[in-house]
Amino acid sequence: MSPAPRPPTPQQQAVLDRIHAQRERQRTRRDMLRVARATAPAQGRVNPQDPLLTRLLSFARLHPAVVAVVLAAVAAAGPNRVMRWAGVLLPAILRMRRG
């Protein structure tokens, strides 16, 4: 039979208190995120009125498999070919945004 557990020292109790406070903060944050996700408007769609970067991030969140395939294709193509195509596509994209 093992001996009865000893009460924690003041230093150990301080660590235990910090752990408890951190767990409470994490629980509160998780609950807040759950509420925010439940009440967020237009979930599952990309808002065309958002800035380009926000739209790209929204698309990436909605379609992670597509993003993975594109990144794999970019990696397979190599940096020289990617830079060459960026030089062709970037001006076209910028023209479309202005027009």
Side-chain angles (χ1 to χ4, degrees), residues 48-56 89-99:
Q49 305 305 321
D50 285 344
L52 179 63
L53 184 59
T54 305
R55 287 183 288 179
L56 289 174
L89 292 176
L90 190 59
I93 292 171
L94 292 174
R95 266 186 259 121
M96 285 188 327
R97 286 191 66 204
R98 273 189 246 136

Side-chain angles (χ1 to χ4, degrees), residues 6-36:
R6 292 179 294 193
T9 65
Q11 293 86 5
Q12 291 171 334
Q13 188 61 48
V15 170
L16 292 172
D17 292 342
R18 286 197 311 263
I19 290 171
H20 178 72
Q22 182 181 27
R23 286 181 179 163
E24 285 298 317
R25 283 193 309 270
Q26 288 174 342
R27 188 174 297 118
T28 302
R29 182 173 181 267
R30 193 176 328 117
D31 292 342
M32 289 173 53
L33 284 172
R34 191 175 296 129
V35 168

Side-chain angles (χ1 to χ4, degrees), residues 19 37 45 49 63 68 80 92 97:
I19 290 171
R37 284 187 190 122
R45 292 197 322 249
Q49 305 305 321
H63 307 288
N80 289 337
R97 286 191 66 204

Side-chain angles (χ1 to χ4, degrees), residues 31-85:
D31 292 342
M32 289 173 53
L33 284 172
R34 191 175 296 129
V35 168
R37 284 187 190 122
T39 59
Q43 286 293 326
R45 292 197 322 249
V46 176
N47 185 358
Q49 305 305 321
D50 285 344
L52 179 63
L53 184 59
T54 305
R55 287 183 288 179
L56 289 174
L57 290 174
S58 297
F59 181 84
R61 281 190 204 104
L62 293 171
H63 307 288
V66 172
V67 173
V69 168
V70 168
L71 290 176
V74 166
N80 289 337
R81 188 171 289 165
V82 170
M83 292 305 292
R84 194 174 336 131
W85 276 103

